[in-house]
Amino acid sequence: MNLPLKQLNLSQLADTPKISTSEYDREKIDIGIVHLGPGAFHRAHQAVYTETAMNLSGGDWGICGVSLRSTTARDILVEQDNLYTLAILDKKVSYQIIGAIKEVLVASEQSNEVIARMAAASTKLVTLTITEKGYCLASDGSLDLNHKDIKHDLANPTSPVSAIGFITESLKQRKLKGINAFNVLSCDNVSGNGEKLRRAVLDYAGQFDINLQEWIDKNVAFPNSMVDSITPKTESYTIESVSKAIHLQDNWPIQREEFTQWVIDNNWQGERPDWEKVGVIFTDDVEGFEKAKLRLLNCLHSTLAYAGSLAGYETVFDVTSDKYFYQFISKLASDEIIGSFVPPKELDVKSYSHDIIQRFLNPNIRHLLAQIAFDGSQKIQMRILPTIEDNIALGRSTKLLSLSLVCWFEFICCALKEGKEIIDPMANTFANIPKLLSNDVLEVVEAFLSIESIFSQALKNNIPLKAQLVKSLIALRLSDVKKINVLIETLYE
Ligand code: CS2
């Protein structure tokens, strides 16, 4: 039986493979970053860049992870002195014990401690991975004042539940105490993530204190950033295989591919770890990188998640290994996505796209399609719909994008018909639209297009698009999805 992963037991780590550990003294560093949402992605990405930067240049950049609701991270990590293993599973396999997280709090149980930590002068930066739905935005980009969490926070500002509420309340306390503001760095797969968060926080603060709103507007930077690294969530086999490899019992390791990228707005000069020295790209065109990543990697991922699940596949590797699905996403990328946006000048978009599809073929990563399929109502708004809109404006084809979109429609319809759980913040809305169960394809398409928080009026009222969606959904319902090549041919007839 292995000893538990703890600071005291690090000397017992396996010697082969060589496993790296923190090169700075964990006891001596202070917390400088509060991260909201310390799930697998944060622990595999931003925490690792910060760890590497502290190995290189030191600095008080320890991280306090704040889970908004779940107690898992705190309860497991506290037993391990907040240490965990990063397993890089790629052509080469390697392990690194990450020490950057110093503390984990759970907001729903410790809201006072969270606000105190965020309001402390030592906290210079608040970073976030709260997923698309955590932004609580209405479809026009303003804060959704009818969102249940926002309603709660407006009524109880000192014990909030949303990230927006925590950021604003702690900034309010800093202002009252004369402490400089922290900066806020969003790391979600949301286009213009910093700007969107800024708008949400300013709208919220403006609801009860105009002076605070002005102070935040003047003093807090919300840089945009783009993040990328394929990070499947931890499964029991991850725990077993990592613990076996490192010779210590780690109950919450994380796995990811070797590729990792973080692109941050160059205009942001705020205090931060030495990230630029450890590979973080600072650029004037974060938007270009965001578009490239959301439209290529994430759109192809979501397409595979819905089409692949309908065809009975389980993982990204399995479905991409099917040559017809490989051809489908390659054609989708080359014919309808590349060319829909202006890529950053630093990026060769054709080879970027090719490399992404090769990343899906990593046999050492088991990335479940079911995981990517979560929260489709939020994801398609970033990954599929903007490209459809741009292609329509440019007079380009939307045939394959329409197929991708109806695969999501059908994924939802099948789940409703089979009584399967839909993991999506709009699951109840879907359950309350009887037409989604209809056998009449036109009714189904119109029912989806009428959901205002997802589809703009322009998309809803676009007759050629509606006809295309109907044609694609008919093809999907009449064909064997496994023969996606045959199905696609019918779309061009
Ligand atoms: C995936 C992303 O789960 C999903 O929706 O598309 O998490 C994807 O793996 C990352 O964005 C890659 O950087």
Side-chain angles (χ1 to χ4, degrees):
M1 182 65 186
N2 285 331
L3 290 169
L5 173 61
K6 272 180 176 295
Q7 194 71 37
L8 193 74
N9 296 335
L10 288 181
S11 58
Q12 308 294 314
L13 275 172
D15 228 8
T16 35
K18 186 89 195 113
I19 299 159
S20 47
T21 52
S22 308
E23 289 162 28
Y24 53 91
D25 185 346
R26 288 186 80 217
E27 289 301 313
K28 294 209 174 115
I29 58 159
D30 200 357
I31 290 177
I33 298 177
V34 173
H35 182 85
L36 306 181
F41 192 79
H42 167 69
R43 295 188 302 128
H45 187 273
Q46 301 101 50
V48 179
Y49 281 101
T50 301
E51 171 85 355
T52 319
M54 286 196 288
N55 280 341
L56 191 75
S57 321
D60 284 322
W61 294 110
I63 299 171
C64 163
V66 175
S67 304
L68 289 173
R69 291 188 178 82
S70 162
T71 56
T72 317
R74 180 197 59 194
D75 295 350
I76 298 181
L77 285 180
V78 76
E79 296 293 323
Q80 310 189 163
D81 300 329
N82 296 310
L83 293 168
Y84 62 92
T85 315
L86 165 71
I88 297 193
L89 306 180
D90 222 302
K91 288 188 195 85
K92 278 197 320 235
V93 173
S94 64
Y95 301 90
Q96 184 181 357
I97 310 296
I98 306 294
I101 296 186
K102 294 260 304 181
E103 168 183 73
V104 182
L105 302 172
V106 177
S108 54
E109 291 180 359
Q110 298 165 283
S111 62
N112 290 340
E113 281 106 311
V114 171
I115 292 170
R117 175 57 77 194
M118 292 173 78
S122 48
T123 299
K124 304 285 189 304
L125 199 54
V126 170
T127 56
L128 304 90
T129 43
I130 51 171
T131 78
E132 297 86 345
K133 58 182 179 282
Y135 289 67
C136 307
L137 295 173
S139 56
D140 66 356
S142 63
L143 182 69
D144 181 0
L145 296 174
N146 290 318
H147 191 290
K148 70 173 185 352
D149 292 351
I150 298 300
K151 275 183 163 167
H152 170 278
D153 291 359
L154 286 169
N156 309 277
T158 55
S159 50
V161 294
S162 73
I164 319 286
F166 276 102
I167 291 172
T168 313
E169 180 59 24
S170 49
L171 284 169
K172 179 173 146 203
Q173 296 209 3
R174 291 177 87 107
K175 177 172 178 278
L176 278 174
K177 292 181 193 147
I179 300 173
N180 286 345
F182 48 67
N183 289 314
V184 182
L185 179 58
S186 163
C187 306
D188 279 297
N189 268 327
V190 169
S191 52
N193 48 17
E195 277 152 46
K196 288 200 169 119
L197 190 60
R198 175 174 181 278
R199 171 84 193 266
V201 169
L202 290 179
D203 283 359
Y204 177 80
Q207 287 296 307
F208 50 85
D209 185 345
I210 295 295
N211 291 332
L212 177 64
Q213 186 190 45
E214 278 172 15
W215 186 82
I216 296 176
D217 191 18
K218 214 163 115 200
N219 294 291
V220 184
F222 290 86
N224 288 327
S225 88
M226 181 279 254
V227 293
D228 189 8
S229 192
I230 290 175
T231 308
K233 82 181 208 309
T234 302
E235 306 280 348
S236 52
Y237 65 82
T238 331
I239 297 176
E240 277 162 35
S241 64
V242 170
S243 301
K244 197 165 155 215
I246 68 166
H247 295 184
L248 288 178
Q249 180 63 32
D250 181 349
N251 287 327
W252 220 37
I254 36 141
Q255 50 176 332
R256 67 148 225 238
E257 62 175 340
E258 190 169 8
F259 180 92
T260 178
Q261 194 176 45
W262 195 2
V263 182
I264 303 180
D265 189 345
N266 207 10
N267 290 321
W268 175 54
Q269 304 297 336
E271 259 189 282
R272 59 195 178 220
D274 236 343
W275 286 327
E276 44 264 89
K277 296 214 179 107
V278 295
V280 178
I281 301 170
F282 284 83
T283 172
D284 292 334
D285 190 9
V286 181
E287 198 193 337
F289 278 95
E290 275 175 346
K291 279 193 175 161
K293 196 244 164 176
L294 282 163
R295 291 183 180 209
L296 284 160
L297 189 148
N298 293 118
C299 172
L300 300 184
H301 246 179
S302 290
T303 302
L304 290 174
Y306 303 121
S309 302
L310 293 172
Y313 286 112
E314 209 187 345
T315 67
V316 174
F317 174 79
D318 295 344
V319 63
T320 315
S321 302
D322 176 325
K323 75 170 182 222
Y324 296 123
F325 280 83
Y326 181 96
Q327 284 163 2
F328 169 31
I329 56 168
S330 304
K331 191 169 164 61
L332 171 61
S334 64
D335 293 8
E336 297 191 10
I337 301 179
I338 295 175
S340 71
F341 64 100
V342 181
K345 56 181 183 319
E346 299 96 310
L347 199 73
D348 173 348
V349 78
K350 281 201 184 129
S351 55
Y352 177 71
S353 169
H354 175 264
D355 292 350
I356 284 171
I357 299 177
Q358 300 317 303
R359 286 164 61 194
F360 294 171
L361 288 168
N362 176 353
N364 289 329
I365 291 265
R366 241 179 84 73
H367 199 180
L368 295 179
L369 297 175
Q371 185 191 335
I372 301 169
F374 288 0
D375 293 353
S377 66
Q378 314 296 301
K379 290 179 178 173
I380 63 154
Q381 296 184 59
M382 307 289 161
R383 303 176 175 200
I384 303 180
L385 303 186
T387 315
I388 292 187
E389 278 165 343
D390 285 346
N391 280 4
I392 291 173
L394 294 166
R396 288 160 44 92
S397 165
T398 55
K399 285 190 168 64
L400 298 175
L401 287 161
S402 296
L403 176 59
S404 167
L405 186 56
V406 300
C407 284
W408 175 64
F409 289 179
E410 190 63 351
F411 178 84
I412 298 293
C413 293
C414 289
L416 289 171
K417 285 178 191 159
E418 291 162 21
K420 279 201 208 140
E421 188 192 5
I422 299 175
I423 304 181
D424 193 298
M426 295 192 68
N428 284 338
T429 309
F430 302 142
N432 288 317
I433 307 180
K435 286 192 175 156
L436 297 187
L437 297 174
S438 172
N439 289 327
D440 179 334
V441 167
L442 177 61
E443 262 185 11
V444 174
V445 168
E446 285 181 340
F448 272 109
L449 291 178
S450 302
I451 306 177
E452 281 177 13
S453 57
I454 304 180
F455 293 96
S456 64
Q457 285 298 311
L459 284 182
K460 180 185 169 194
N461 296 327
N462 189 302
I463 307 290
L465 177 68
K466 194 200 287 182
Q468 184 74 62
L469 293 170
V470 169
K471 185 172 178 176
S472 306
L473 190 53
I474 292 174
L476 189 62
R477 288 196 170 176
L478 292 180
S479 320
D480 173 2
V481 190
K482 275 210 141 182
K483 296 194 183 119
I484 195 106
N485 53 322
V486 179
L487 191 164
I488 288 170
E489 274 168 26
T490 66
L491 301 180
Y492 288 87
E493 280 165 4

